Amino acid sequence: MDISTVCIHGSNFPYDPTGSVSVPIYQTATFAHPAVGSSTGYDYSRVQNPTREHLEKTVAELEKGIDAMAFSSGMAAITTMMEIFQIGDHMIASNDLYGGSVRLFQTISKKNGITFDFTDTSDLATVESLIRPATKAIFVETPSNPMMQVTDLERLSTITRKYGILLIVDNTFLTPYFQNPLCLGADIVVHSATKYLSGHNDTLAGFLVLGSQELSDKIRAIYKTTGACLAPFDSWLIIRGLKTLAVRMDRQQENARKLADWLRNHPKIKKVYYTGLPTHPDYEITLKQSRGFGAMISFEVDCEKTAIRLLERVKLILYAESLGGGETLITYPMLQTHADVPKKKREELGINERFLRLSVGLEHIDDLIEDLEQALNDE
Ligand SMILES: *Cc1c(COP(=O)(O)O)cnc(C)c1O
């Protein structure tokens, strides 16, 4: 079945006996038992709730995993995943990650005795040289946030398999519509469903999708114990958002390609980072492992003054953190998503005062260009 159809119909959930076309919101904390020692299959909503179950099965199917767990945010998903590691374990992570993941790894994970090496994970030789006996996993975002570096997942997974370590991929930017890391050798897929999967900038959610029963059993037990599960109503919002994932991704990508081209030719824009530009160094890897390029664009303007004026003068485009929704958002990574990354490291990556990130939304392309044009204008 095509992904766009799975988005609409979801998993084969036994629909409500009323025939309700929309999945019902089971707004309940607990479930009554028919007899001693028997259960309807549901006992308590932290463990499972029918609305959330429908969503989880749908996302597992979209990502071609054997199980998916829905969390109250992307960070809740990643935090829970980190509980599979022990004191003394070592991990390798991309040096260009969502700032919240960096903060988690460098504070809470560190306190829990887990050490990290941050590196350019698209450089496979360096990654391999960092592996030591204590190394348990490699955590990557591809394309990365916000520099849009692409890691060749199939090649990286031959390394992780060789050493018997886990490959964890944050697939928030491309979504299962454009990329399925589990099919490329990943063991765990992470999502901030707050972004494209929800698509409406109206709720927080996250996922872990697992490729093996062993990982599913292990993480289900932690999930049930720690409890950062997604509420029934929020689960329903994501089910509703997912219905239009395919059409939104197609349209947002189309807008992004046009906007990347327009930005590239604007005299005040010095550099455009978009994997869909054939001039992007990782264009070929993207074509090999993904079905699309997504709708995230980073770019560098000529000077700090232009960056600040642009942020203050956009009207339609909103100056806000986050991404993936119908509304086009512009972000200043230096002050927002990456404020906690040390200045030196940030600047080495290229995240300076001239650097901006766009999450291209669903507005008409002409209106987006007109807004950027007036905001970049000198008068
Ligand atoms: C937003 C984001 C997260 C964190 O997700 P929340 O839902 O905000 O907790 C993790 N990874 C990436 C790539 C993100 O964009």
Side-chain angles (χ1 to χ4, degrees):
M1 202 183 281
D2 189 79
I3 280 186
S4 55
T5 308
V6 178
C7 286
I8 300 292
H9 290 279
S11 69
N12 292 322
F13 182 77
Y15 276 107
D16 185 89
T18 64
S20 171
V21 168
S22 168
V23 175
I25 303 170
Y26 286 86
Q27 190 63 51
T28 183
T30 192
F31 300 83
H33 303 300
V36 174
S38 77
S39 161
T40 60
Y42 303 97
D43 303 310
Y44 190 65
S45 281
R46 171 158 30 79
V47 181
Q48 197 47 291
N49 173 286
T51 312
R52 195 173 77 225
E53 185 175 36
H54 177 83
L55 172 63
E56 289 179 342
K57 287 191 165 156
T58 302
V59 170
E61 198 163 326
L62 290 174
E63 277 294 9
K64 315 208 182 290
I66 65 148
D67 191 16
M69 276 161 249
F71 292 84
S72 52
S73 71
M75 289 320 300
I78 303 172
T79 303
T80 304
M81 180 202 75
M82 288 307 293
E83 294 295 334
I84 64 177
F85 300 107
Q86 315 282 334
I87 297 178
D89 285 353
H90 170 253
M91 278 174 72
I92 298 166
S94 308
N95 58 5
D96 184 35
L97 286 184
Y98 176 70
S101 301
V102 177
R103 185 169 56 229
L104 170 72
F105 296 157
Q106 291 187 329
T107 58
I108 297 172
S109 305
K110 186 174 162 210
K111 178 207 65 165
N112 291 339
I114 298 149
T115 57
F116 283 84
D117 268 309
F118 293 91
T119 189
D120 175 359
T121 47
S122 59
D123 173 359
L124 299 176
T126 305
V127 170
E128 190 165 6
S129 74
L130 290 168
I131 296 174
R132 46 189 211 236
T135 307
K136 291 291 153 61
I138 299 182
F139 185 97
V140 303
E141 274 176 35
T142 181
S144 67
N145 180 10
M147 303 312 296
M148 309 295 160
Q149 290 162 349
V150 178
T151 297
D152 186 325
L153 292 176
E154 219 158 11
R155 287 185 56 211
L156 182 57
S157 76
T158 60
I159 298 176
T160 53
R161 293 271 153 90
K162 178 170 150 196
Y163 291 90
I165 61 182
L166 297 174
L167 176 56
I168 305 160
V169 179
D170 184 331
N171 201 29
T172 298
F173 271 30
L174 286 187
T175 82
Y177 184 63
F178 285 140
Q179 177 169 278
N180 291 119
L182 294 177
C183 301
L184 298 162
D187 301 285
I188 302 178
V189 167
V190 172
H191 276 286
S192 169
T194 310
K195 318 294 169 54
Y196 291 102
L197 300 186
S198 151
H200 291 73
N201 284 324
D202 57 8
T203 189
L204 295 177
F207 286 96
L208 293 178
V209 192
L210 295 323
S212 78
Q213 192 60 47
E214 188 195 340
L215 278 171
S216 156
D217 291 346
K218 206 174 195 175
I219 301 181
R220 276 270 165 215
I222 301 168
Y223 183 80
K224 168 176 155 177
T225 306
T226 54
C229 55
L230 194 63
F233 181 65
D234 289 17
S235 298
W236 183 85
L237 281 173
I238 306 294
I239 292 169
R240 180 173 151 125
L242 276 179
K243 287 185 189 279
T244 54
L245 179 70
V247 282
R248 284 187 286 107
M249 293 308 288
D250 282 339
R251 175 64 176 273
Q252 282 172 262
Q253 170 170 265
E254 186 189 322
N255 278 352
R257 292 178 94 145
K258 289 179 182 160
L259 215 49
D261 257 334
W262 183 84
L263 286 165
R264 211 158 52 111
N265 292 308
H266 194 284
K268 285 194 182 155
I269 311 294
K270 294 297 156 202
K271 193 157 185 200
V272 177
Y273 300 82
Y274 180 59
T275 54
L277 288 173
T279 50
H280 189 284
D282 302 325
Y283 182 75
E284 294 298 327
I285 304 176
T286 307
L287 283 182
K288 185 180 73 142
Q289 68 184 12
S290 313
R291 294 177 289 274
F293 306 100
M296 296 301 297
I297 303 176
S298 295
F299 60 100
E300 197 178 310
V301 296
D302 58 355
C303 62
E304 183 175 15
K305 189 166 153 250
T306 303
I308 293 179
R309 274 161 55 98
L310 179 58
L311 291 166
E312 289 180 346
R313 287 169 57 162
V314 281
K315 294 184 181 130
L316 186 65
I317 298 171
L318 304 170
Y319 168 38
E321 236 165 286
S322 203
L323 60 109
E327 299 83 6
T328 297
L329 303 183
I330 191 161
T331 307
Y332 204 19
M334 177 182 88
L335 292 186
Q336 295 177 296
T337 51
H338 290 65
D340 284 351
V341 179
K343 183 162 186 265
K344 184 167 169 287
K345 195 181 155 214
R346 206 180 63 215
E347 295 200 333
E348 271 167 25
L349 289 169
I351 307 173
N352 54 36
E353 67 287 346
R354 301 178 302 282
F355 187 85
L356 298 161
R357 193 189 75 185
L358 263 181
S359 164
V360 183
L362 289 167
E363 301 89 343
H364 195 283
I365 184 65
D366 294 348
D367 294 321
L368 292 174
I369 289 175
E370 191 181 312
D371 195 29
L372 285 172
E373 179 93 70
Q374 65 79 26
L376 284 165
N377 208 324
D378 275 328
E379 290 89 59

